[in-house]
Amino acid sequence: MGRCMEAMPEFKLISGEFVAICDGLDIAQPLDDEMHRSIVEVLDHYGVCIFRNTNPVSEQDQLSFARQFGPLMRQRMQQTVSARGIRLTTDELIDVGNLDEEGNIHAIDDPRRAFHKGNLLWHSDVTFDPVRATYSLLAAHVVPPDGGETEFADMKSAYDDLAGGVKQRIDGLNAEHSIWYSRALGGMGDINASIKKTRPPAQHPLVNINPRTGRRALYLASHASHILEMDRAEGRRLLDQLTAHATQRRYVYRHQWQPGDLVMWDNLQTMHRGVPFDDVLHPRDMRRATILETPGN
Ligand code: OGA
Ligand code: MN
């Protein structure tokens, strides 16, 4: 496996065939070409990379580290949905914690709380937009004492293990994805039509082929409502079966966060979900940078 830099610790594989850890990389320093290549390689061949003891990740360090892997997504969806203020200083970071703009834990009826519940369902980030996300980089600042882990599932191995007939059946199929579909599943109340119009659904192939390795992976998310080429109920059943298959324990790693962890994953080869915690009692401060797919990356 690729090495960090000279005098840097190596990447170690820690779970199945898809999670690597790199201890002690200073993410505030620009990456040299070798290290950059190693990270891309690790994500191509595995899917999730944990950077530990990066010490502590400032917003600026997280952004400058992330930018080295492609253009950043900007998004203010939670603010649109909740009509509340923002806590973070830039819309290049997505606030996935449970704190409001004053640093207090979200009130029980805060719409952002309901919005975040959607993250507890298996998904890949922003599949509901026409431009897909390649990598997400999630930094932990404050973590709760119990729960609040994040689980990842390996969509490459899940694809490989499908029966030949299923692989043939899904070849060339496309799913429709909508944030409003997954938010309704997550229990969020009705959203008005003008807000819904700001995020129309998007369509993507059900199977992703990594352009560098040629490896196939399932591209699934709770945002996916149906399959374009199939009868709605039948497509729904297929999505449920594929999701159940791909999230069996043998494909899943559960990450126990430590403050200062930065976890980077490939959305095109993994799914993830949050694990519940007592979000009325304990603060959880987590911030995500998201890289958009471009023809070159
Ligand atoms: C995310 C996400 C889950 C979590 O940041 O994209 O889904 O555990 N997070 O916070
Ligand atoms: Mn997510």
Side-chain angles (χ1 to χ4, degrees), residues 32-248:
D32 65 15
D33 288 350
E34 193 194 339
M35 185 60 191
H36 187 277
R37 216 171 17 246
S38 295
I39 295 172
V40 171
E41 241 168 58
V42 163
L43 288 161
D44 275 346
H45 289 95
Y46 302 102
V48 179
C49 187
I50 297 155
F51 297 97
R52 180 147 278 175
N53 298 317
T54 53
N55 237 350
V57 185
S58 76
E59 288 195 2
Q60 278 321 310
D61 292 344
Q62 185 177 0
L63 291 171
S64 56
F65 182 74
R67 267 195 201 100
Q68 297 172 97
F69 298 94
L72 292 176
M73 180 186 78
R74 310 182 87 101
Q75 196 189 86
R76 282 270 160 92
M77 220 180 340
Q78 292 174 51
Q79 289 74 40
T80 311
V81 168
S82 68
R84 308 283 164 101
I86 54 161
R87 183 172 68 96
L88 306 181
T89 55
T90 167
D91 59 2
E92 290 176 314
L93 286 176
I94 307 295
D95 190 348
V96 292
N98 65 340
L99 302 177
D100 68 16
E101 54 280 27
E102 268 107 48
N104 300 315
I105 293 176
H106 287 154
I108 204 150
D109 60 348
D110 190 308
R112 289 169 292 194
R113 193 165 169 259
F115 191 80
H116 280 156
K117 291 270 182 236
N119 279 344
L120 303 179
L121 303 173
W122 283 110
H123 66 284
S124 178
D125 288 333
V126 291
T127 64
F128 47 80
D129 278 349
V131 178
R132 301 187 305 178
T134 52
Y135 307 124
S136 289
L137 300 96
L138 184 59
H141 294 261
V142 176
V143 302
D146 320 285
E149 300 93 344
T150 305
E151 291 189 325
F152 295 90
D154 181 4
M155 297 293 106
K156 312 182 260 44
S157 301
Y159 177 85
D160 288 349
D161 293 346
L162 290 172
V166 178
K167 286 181 183 161
Q168 268 175 15
R169 183 172 176 222
I170 65 177
D171 187 37
L173 296 181
N174 293 277
E176 181 158 302
H177 299 249
S178 163
I179 182 71
W180 311 121
Y181 182 79
S182 63
R183 280 346 187 220
L185 283 182
M188 192 169 80
D190 236 11
I191 294 293
N192 78 45
S194 66
I195 291 182
K196 278 190 173 165
K197 269 201 217 126
T198 64
R199 229 77 198 183
Q203 294 84 27
H204 299 291
L206 203 50
V207 176
N208 180 64
I209 305 177
N210 183 306
R212 293 168 296 276
T213 63
R215 191 138 181 217
R216 286 165 193 258
L218 287 168
Y219 188 60
L220 294 171
S222 54
H223 311 305
S225 56
H226 63 284
I227 307 265
L228 296 179
E229 296 82 1
M230 287 172 80
D231 163 76
R232 231 185 145 95
E234 199 191 342
R236 184 64 255 162
R237 252 191 323 273
L238 176 61
L239 288 169
D240 290 341
Q241 284 163 357
L242 291 172
T243 304
H245 161 73
T247 57
Q248 294 174 82

Side-chain angles (χ1 to χ4, degrees), residues 96 119 123 125 138 148-150 257 265 272-275 284 286 288:
V96 292
N119 279 344
H123 66 284
D125 288 333
L138 184 59
E149 300 93 344
T150 305
W257 291 95
W265 65 85
H272 61 279
R273 68 171 176 185
V275 173
R284 183 175 188 258
M286 311 281 290
R288 192 188 85 217

